[in-house]
Amino acid sequence: MAEQQQLTVQEAVDSMVKSLERENIQKMQGLMFWCSASCCEDSQATMQQVHQCIEHSHAPLAQAQSLVTSELEKFQDRLARCTMHCNGKAKDSIDAGSKELQVKQQLESCVTKCVDDHMNLIPTMTRKMKESLSSIQK
C-alpha cells in the first residue's frame, strides 16, 4: 500500500480508537477501579472473595478491550486481503505480458479503491463498536 494511503487509514483508525477510548473505555476504567476498590472495603470477605470480586470488576473492561482488538484485527485482515488481491492481479497482468507502467497504474488504482472502500467502512464499524461497548457497560 502506498505510504500516503497507509497513513490516511492509520490516522482514521487512530482517531476512531481515541474516540472509543474517550467516550467508552475511560468510563469503564473508572467504574472498574471504583468497583475494585469497593471489593476491598468488605471487612467480612475472605481474600478469595475479594479476588473474585476484583476479577468480576475487571471483566467488562477486558471484554471491551477484546471487542475493540478483534474488530480492528478483522478490519486490518480485510484490507490486507484486498491489497493482496490487487498484487495478485498485477502479477497476473505482468505474466500475461502487460507493460510495467500500465500494471503499476492498475495496481495503484486497485489499492486506492481498497483504501477508499475500507475508509468508508470506518464510520459503520465505529457505530457498531460503540453500540457493543454500551451494551457491555450495562
Side-chain angles (χ1 to χ4, degrees), residues 84-102:
M84 284 178 14
H85 172 73
C86 294
N87 288 332
K89 283 173 56 177
K91 185 184 178 317
D92 292 344
S93 293
I94 289 281
D95 291 347
S98 295
K99 293 186 176 142
E100 190 175 331
L101 179 62
Q102 181 184 356

Side-chain angles (χ1 to χ4, degrees), residues 75 78-79 82 113-123:
F75 177 80
R78 287 178 65 182
L79 182 56
C82 189
K113 181 167 178 10
C114 287
V115 169
D116 291 345
D117 289 348
H118 284 77
M119 288 292 290
N120 291 332
L121 293 174
I122 291 176

Side-chain angles (χ1 to χ4, degrees), residues 8-22:
T8 301
V9 172
Q10 187 61 50
E11 286 174 352
V13 169
D14 287 347
S15 175
M16 175 190 67
V17 169
K18 285 178 184 166
S19 168
L20 292 169
E21 287 173 344
R22 194 175 45 254

